[in-house]
Amino acid sequence: MDSVLLAIDAGSTGVRALVVDREGTIRGRAYREVSSDHPKPGWVELDPVLLWAATREVVERALDEAKVRRREIGALGVANQRATALLWDRRTGEPLYRAIGWQDLRTAGRVEELLREGIYTNTLASATKVEWLLRHVPGADERARRGEVCFGTLDSWLAWNLSGRGAHVTDASNASCTGLYDYLSGGWDPNVLEALAIPQEILPEIRASSEIVASCPSFDAPLAALAGDQQAAMFGLLRHRPGDLKVTFGTSAMCDIHTGSLPAFPSRGSYPLVLWQLGGDRSFCLEGTVLTAGAAVQWLRDALGLLASPEESSRLASSVPDTGGVWFVPAFQGLGTPHMDARARAVLGGLSRATTRAQIVRALLEGVAFRCREVLHSLVEAAGTRLPAVLRVDGGAAANDFLLQTVADLVGIAVERPKCLEGTALGASYLAGLAVGIWKSAEELRHVWNLGARFEPRSRPEEVQERVAAWTRRLDAVRAAEAS
């Protein structure tokens, strides 16, 4: 097949489209920002109609850049920000309310109630968001019980629209992020549905991550892949074997380890998810989060004016031999894995009259790298395995050479960066290509994946241990001060 693949990535801040050929070459790309609204403190909402309009726009722009006609598309793949929840009318396709973002905290109190009742969930999952919609949107609950309403995460919403309102589907990776998924059966969990009074009739059908799930009339091509963004990035980085690690550097740094064919137990702020389902076989991962990564560099630019652009940070940090005693704990939104400390705050310390702009920038990037080390080591420990030889990375902030070299030094393994940093969209294209036979197996993808740069550890282990111990003491002191 000489057809190209169209990948759509509906992320937390915008929508991206890539046109990819069978050699893995990006023929066309387009991006449009789609901002969220915050009607109340802690609330995050997204206009799903605007998202669909932005999707159509970036698809057309990417096809134009690639000089590809719609009939040349062999298959479509969709990746998406996970757990964002919405309801829409099954007949008209009209949303009943705006989509509630995965970061939304309006149901935090309800999550605490459910945990006390022995029902495990969290504020990032979809479960209590769906419950809130059914309880608070006028007529939603009654209509849902009559079968007139569809629930879905953004993959389901896009699949519904791409298929001409014919397919109400999701995949196992997205389903595992909803809080409604049964890891044993691979279906929806009837106990959680009963506890939250969610009718099973409104839920999408769970399909494989690489499978033809619908036809797309406007493209004359099948929708052949659905995957959550981090799982798609794992696939796009070819992290296909147990023990493989990846970090996606965006606003946060999302860290994942492949745990094989069985889910691992959550531990120290990590949580198990389905990586993907290929045929009847599921693979699983443990995920952990550095809550502030690329956002910390943006803070240097936007709040302090120390950078003209985030890209400047790598050069500045490399221009000095050390931080001059400056240190930084990047906890603008608390500390994620393994601490799960929402009270923690970012701290910049060790300043003197001699401190320079470059030293502050270097200290901030080192702080992000120290946090990556913490998360990656906790994931490896929780998975009961050893550090692999290589860590692969993607995402916008992965373009920062100084950050990646520091991660390699502190973690003690090589860091590989692909030529294409858009691993999420690339993974969606790989999954779609496998479904329609452009590639016969995942092994063939090793011939189309392109390495951009490799960073080998350069620091002595004793030096790393000293640096880690010093940074940990400072982190512990900061947390103790916040607690008091």
Side-chain angles (χ1 to χ4, degrees):
M1 295 179 65
D2 294 325
S3 302
V4 297
L5 299 159
L6 174 62
I8 298 167
D9 172 17
S12 296
T13 56
V15 185
R16 186 182 315 277
L18 291 186
V19 178
V20 183
D21 65 22
R22 65 177 299 122
E23 284 75 40
T25 304
I26 309 300
R27 300 268 297 276
R29 52 163 53 89
Y31 177 79
R32 177 179 165 183
E33 183 176 320
V34 179
S35 59
S36 299
D37 295 317
H38 306 270
K40 295 182 181 181
W43 288 32
V44 182
E45 296 182 353
L46 177 72
D47 184 342
V49 176
L50 178 60
L51 175 76
W52 173 233
T55 301
R56 296 198 305 270
E57 176 190 320
V58 295
V59 164
E60 291 303 324
R61 286 167 45 204
L63 292 175
D64 287 345
E65 181 179 293
K67 296 181 173 56
V68 166
R69 291 169 291 183
R70 288 183 170 230
R71 69 185 184 190
E72 297 176 83
I73 297 172
L76 290 82
V78 171
N80 56 285
Q81 56 166 294
R82 307 164 307 182
T84 292
L86 70 152
L87 300 176
W88 65 91
D89 185 285
R90 188 179 296 275
R91 181 177 60 84
T92 67
E94 292 296 317
L96 274 62
Y97 188 83
R98 297 166 71 84
I100 300 180
W102 62 270
Q103 315 99 313
D104 189 282
L105 299 176
R106 75 185 67 186
T107 62
R110 178 59 172 150
V111 166
E112 292 178 0
E113 290 178 7
L114 291 169
L115 290 173
R116 288 194 294 268
E117 295 170 10
I119 298 173
Y120 177 76
T121 188
N122 60 73
T123 58
L124 302 181
S126 311
T128 55
K129 297 174 175 56
V130 185
E131 182 188 47
W132 188 95
L133 288 166
L134 291 173
R135 288 183 175 184
H136 291 87
V137 176
D141 184 64
E142 182 181 349
R143 294 171 66 187
R145 297 187 185 285
R146 293 201 301 262
E148 299 172 1
V149 170
C150 294
F151 155 72
T153 45
L154 292 185
D155 61 313
S156 296
W157 170 246
L158 292 177
W160 175 267
N161 285 284
L162 288 167
S163 65
R165 301 177 179 176
H168 186 203
V169 293
T170 189
D171 89 301
S173 73
N174 275 294
S176 72
C177 299
T178 64
L180 304 171
Y181 183 74
D182 184 341
Y183 282 81
L184 294 179
S185 70
W188 300 114
D189 189 327
N191 296 322
V192 178
L193 295 178
E194 181 179 1
L196 275 66
I198 298 174
Q200 183 156 344
E201 293 74 19
I202 73 172
L203 302 178
E205 180 186 1
I206 301 173
R207 303 289 293 270
S209 308
S210 177
E211 175 188 6
I212 294 176
V213 297
S215 61
C216 302
S218 63
F219 294 95
D220 193 27
L223 175 59
L226 299 171
D229 52 7
Q230 300 308 316
Q231 293 96 323
M234 279 284 278
F235 203 85
L237 288 167
L238 307 191
R239 304 290 77 196
H240 298 167
R241 297 171 180 169
D244 283 348
L245 279 174
K246 75 89 177 159
V247 178
T248 295
F249 285 102
T251 301
S252 303
M254 305 298 293
C255 309
D256 296 86
I257 184 169
H258 193 311
T259 59
S261 58
L262 294 173
F265 288 105
S267 173
R268 301 180 65 197
S270 62
Y271 40 91
L273 296 171
V274 175
L275 262 177
W276 45 71
Q277 181 175 326
L278 303 180
D281 298 325
R282 292 178 295 168
S283 295
F284 295 85
C285 70
L286 272 178
E287 187 167 281
T289 309
V290 179
L291 291 176
T292 307
V297 179
Q298 292 173 336
W299 173 77
L300 288 178
R301 179 195 64 185
D302 300 337
L304 300 188
L306 295 184
L307 298 172
S309 68
E311 292 73 24
E312 186 185 6
S313 63
S314 182
R315 179 189 60 79
L316 262 179
S318 301
S319 71
V320 291
D322 54 50
T323 67
V326 180
W327 54 272
F328 190 83
V329 176
F332 288 95
Q333 297 169 285
L335 289 166
T337 314
H339 308 287
M340 303 307 290
D341 184 354
R343 299 172 302 174
R345 291 295 177 264
V347 176
L348 178 63
L351 301 174
S352 74
R353 288 289 297 274
T355 297
T356 67
R357 178 169 68 116
Q359 289 170 331
I360 292 174
V361 173
R362 184 179 179 113
L364 182 139
L365 291 175
E366 287 186 356
V368 173
F370 277 118
R371 284 287 296 122
C372 287
R373 183 187 191 277
E374 281 194 302
V375 176
L376 292 171
H377 276 261
S378 71
L379 289 178
V380 168
E381 179 184 343
T385 186
R386 297 180 180 180
L387 279 170
V390 173
L391 165 68
R392 283 189 176 165
V393 300
D394 70 335
N400 192 306
D401 287 1
F402 178 84
L403 175 61
L404 298 194
Q405 183 59 59
T406 307
V407 170
D409 290 339
L410 293 179
V411 180
I413 59 177
V415 174
E416 291 185 345
R417 178 176 66 201
K419 286 185 178 179
C420 175
L421 296 182
E422 299 151 318
T424 297
L426 201 60
S429 74
Y430 288 170
L431 287 164
L434 285 172
V436 297
I438 288 181
W439 300 291
K440 301 299 183 185
S441 70
E443 286 300 315
E444 287 189 31
L445 297 172
R446 301 186 184 278
H447 302 295
V448 302
W449 189 85
N450 295 302
L451 178 66
R454 181 180 171 101
F455 301 83
E456 297 284 353
R458 298 187 305 202
S459 298
R460 293 178 294 107
E462 317 85 73
E463 175 192 349
V464 170
Q465 290 304 318
E466 289 176 5
R467 294 177 64 194
V468 169
W471 191 83
T472 302
R473 286 194 299 271
R474 290 158 180 160
L475 174 62
D476 291 342
V478 168
R479 295 184 66 203
E482 291 289 345
S484 61

